[in-house]
């Protein structure tokens, strides 16, 4: 059966990995800087930092934005649990926004109706690599003076108006490089900032709040005059993981082309089928086709039929508003309709659709 996900790993990397393992430089170093440079070039944005995991990326973003216990954020329940669990860790109040049942993207009108004086941020998830209404959500943030974070956990390489996600005008963008993503660094992530000051702040928060340029005295001792003013994390990506990222970035364009070609074939196959519709894309967007999304009249039967045809299929995620940890089990009509019909099938680089 063709899998829904598959970790990518470049060929002929064992010698380089061995060299790194015995180099004495295992922490963030030359490969970390190279990986970030590649990300900057690919995304088209200067203020990019790599991190050790997606979870750490989210925690850094929450700290960078100054969010505190009890603050209110608007987010989509149609997303990976990893996207929303950091809110619970930080003690934030999550207000769930409804989604468009045709594609699972956040509904701008519903977001607007839920903005209050207590709203501190909007987290805009791009479900399974399918981009949402970026301009409309960003305009809400601008109008109300609220930062918007593009949650690109599954959307690295997706495009909006010809630009890569991370370079579409949003305040902050978060990516995951966990094993089944592209690129994957075994575990890792990245954050993109539009604002240089927030980026500089995040660089400190990523490394325990330490300014490494003054952290040690000329003789190598910790400098007592180097004050730590910010909360921080052990968020630096190792050079081993970074190296894997650099090699994956060498191949990223060709891998995404395969996925887009596979999607074209799926589009044709579902054109005249009444029981299965391709997920409707938002205007001016191109998914990365991490998976291929469909809306099926009978979800259970469709999953069974796809599997019997040799394609692993799944609903991918469960809507997060069912979880007690978020203390907000509100029922949302668009969410319910979308989750009752959404089925993802393989679209990845590991097979050629025919």
């Amino acid at each position: 059966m063709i899998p829904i996900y598959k970790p990518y790993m470049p060929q002929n990397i064992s010698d380089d990995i061995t060299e790194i393992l015995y180099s004495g430089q295992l922490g963030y170093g030359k490969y970390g800087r190279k990986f970030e440079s590649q990300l900057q070039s690919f995304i088209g944005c200067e203020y990019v930092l790599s991190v050790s995991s997606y979870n750490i990326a989210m925690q850094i973003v929450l700290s960078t934005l100054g969010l505190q216990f009890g603050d209110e954020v608007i987010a989509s329940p149609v997303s990976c649990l990893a996207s929303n669990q950091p809110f619970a860790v930080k003690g934030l109040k999550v207000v769930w926004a409804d989604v468009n049942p045709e594609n699972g993207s956040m509904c701008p009108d519903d977001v607007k109706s839920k903005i209050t004086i207590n709203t501190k941020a909007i987290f805009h998830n791009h479900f399974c690599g399918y981009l949402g209404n970026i301009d409309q959500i960003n305009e809400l943030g601008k109008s109300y003076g609220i930062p918007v974070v593009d949650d690109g956990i599954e959307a690295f390489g997706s495009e909006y108006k010809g630009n890569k996600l991370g370079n579409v005008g949003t305040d902050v963008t978060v990516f995951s490089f966990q094993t089944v993503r592209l690129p994957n660094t075994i575990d890792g992530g990245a954050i993109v900032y539009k604002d240089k000051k927030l980026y500089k702040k995040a660089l400190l928060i990523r490394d325990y709040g330490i300014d490494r340029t003054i952290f040690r005295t000329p003789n190598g001792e910790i400098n007592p005059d180097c004050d730590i003013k910010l909360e921080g994390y052990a968020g630096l990506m190792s050079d081993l993981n970074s190296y894997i990222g650099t090699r994956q970035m060498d191949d990223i364009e060709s891998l995404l082309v395969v996925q887009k070609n596979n999607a074209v074939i799926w589009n044709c196959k579902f054109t005249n089928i009444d029981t299965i519709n391709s997920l409707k894309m938002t205007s001016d967007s191109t998914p990365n086709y991490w998976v291929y999304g469909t809306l099926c009249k009978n979800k259970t039967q469709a999953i069974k039929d796809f599997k019997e045809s040799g394609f692993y299929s799944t609903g991918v995620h469960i809507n997060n508003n069912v979880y007690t940890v978020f203390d907000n089990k509100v029922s949302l009509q668009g969410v319910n309709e979308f989750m009752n019909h959404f089925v993802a099938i393989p679209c990845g680089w590991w097979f050629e659709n025919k």
Side-chain angles (χ1 to χ4, degrees):
M1 185 180 296
I2 296 174
I4 188 76
Y5 322 117
K6 186 175 181 179
Y8 177 72
M9 195 55 61
Q11 299 295 314
N12 303 317
I13 64 174
S14 58
D15 289 345
D16 290 331
I17 287 177
T18 299
E19 181 180 345
I20 293 169
L21 289 175
Y22 293 97
S23 67
Q25 174 61 64
L26 295 176
Y28 177 87
K30 67 176 183 178
Y31 288 113
R33 292 186 289 272
K34 180 179 179 180
F35 184 43
E36 288 176 340
S37 177
Q38 289 174 305
L39 293 173
Q40 290 170 341
S41 297
F42 180 83
I43 296 169
C45 188
E46 181 178 359
Y47 304 127
V48 181
L49 65 157
S50 60
V51 293
S52 56
S53 73
Y54 172 82
N55 182 267
I56 285 292
M58 286 293 291
Q59 297 289 354
I60 291 172
V61 168
L62 298 181
S63 294
T64 305
L65 295 179
L67 298 181
Q68 302 293 322
F69 184 92
D71 283 347
E72 190 173 289
V73 297
I74 297 176
S76 170
V78 178
S79 57
C80 180
L81 176 61
S83 295
N84 297 315
Q85 185 66 281
F87 305 144
V89 172
K90 196 77 170 180
L92 304 178
K93 180 182 178 182
V94 183
V95 176
W96 297 122
D98 207 355
V99 303
N100 181 343
E102 293 184 331
N103 55 24
S105 64
M106 287 179 73
C107 177
D109 289 339
D110 194 60
V111 172
K112 183 177 181 179
S113 73
K114 291 173 178 174
I115 294 175
T116 71
I117 59 172
N118 299 316
T119 306
K120 302 301 182 184
I122 300 169
F123 286 80
H124 188 187
N125 179 266
H126 300 288
F127 187 70
C128 286
Y130 286 78
L131 301 185
N133 297 284
I134 290 173
D135 283 349
Q136 291 171 271
I137 297 296
N138 286 355
E139 183 57 37
L140 287 174
K142 182 178 179 181
S143 297
Y144 288 89
I146 302 167
V148 175
V149 179
D150 274 334
D151 177 14
I153 184 171
E154 298 150 352
F156 187 85
S158 297
E159 298 182 0
Y160 182 66
K161 293 184 175 179
N163 292 322
K164 298 289 195 305
L165 189 68
N167 187 27
V168 296
T170 309
D171 298 302
V172 186
T173 308
V174 188
F175 294 111
S176 170
F177 301 145
Q178 193 264 346
T179 52
V180 296
R181 318 292 186 208
L182 275 182
N184 93 70
T185 57
I186 300 178
D187 201 1
I191 314 169
V192 185
Y193 289 92
K194 185 171 70 172
D195 180 77
K196 185 177 181 179
K197 289 183 179 179
L198 283 180
Y199 167 71
K200 292 289 188 180
K201 183 179 179 181
L203 287 175
L204 297 178
I205 292 173
R206 178 178 67 168
D207 189 18
Y208 295 110
I210 295 171
D211 181 351
R212 292 288 173 179
T213 63
I214 58 172
F215 185 59
R216 294 193 179 275
T217 62
N219 69 350
E221 294 300 305
I222 293 176
N223 184 359
D225 295 327
C226 177
D227 191 15
I228 306 300
K229 301 176 182 179
L230 297 169
E231 61 189 84
Y233 307 91
L236 289 163
M237 183 182 288
S238 77
D239 241 24
L240 180 60
N241 296 89
S242 298
Y243 167 74
I244 293 171
T246 65
R247 290 296 305 274
Q248 300 230 354
M249 288 303 295
D250 290 339
D251 302 336
I252 190 72
E253 294 283 9
S254 61
L255 297 173
L256 290 171
V257 166
V258 174
Q259 296 186 170
K260 291 176 182 178
N261 289 341
N262 283 341
V264 170
I265 303 300
W266 283 131
N267 287 339
C268 295
K269 289 185 177 182
F270 298 133
T271 299
N272 297 311
I273 299 180
D274 294 334
T275 56
I276 303 174
N277 292 313
S278 301
L279 209 61
K280 185 177 180 180
M281 295 185 296
T282 53
S283 179
D284 296 317
S285 71
T286 303
N288 62 2
Y289 293 108
W290 178 64
V291 297
Y292 186 89
T294 69
L295 295 176
C296 300
K297 187 174 182 179
N298 186 327
K299 180 173 181 174
T300 302
Q301 185 62 46
I303 289 176
K304 180 176 180 291
D305 290 344
F306 279 127
K307 288 182 177 179
E308 289 179 350
S309 299
F311 296 95
Y312 193 91
S313 57
T314 175
V316 183
H317 301 301
I318 188 172
N319 45 298
N320 288 189
N321 57 320
V322 303
Y323 292 129
T324 301
V325 69
F326 300 113
D327 194 28
N328 186 10
K329 292 189 176 184
V330 61
S331 179
L332 298 166
Q333 183 177 347
V335 170
N336 295 338
E337 183 176 345
F338 178 76
M339 296 306 293
N340 284 338
H341 298 283
F342 175 76
V343 175
I345 55 177
C347 203
W349 52 267
W350 52 93
F351 80 107
E352 182 182 354
N353 206 356
K354 297 178 179 180

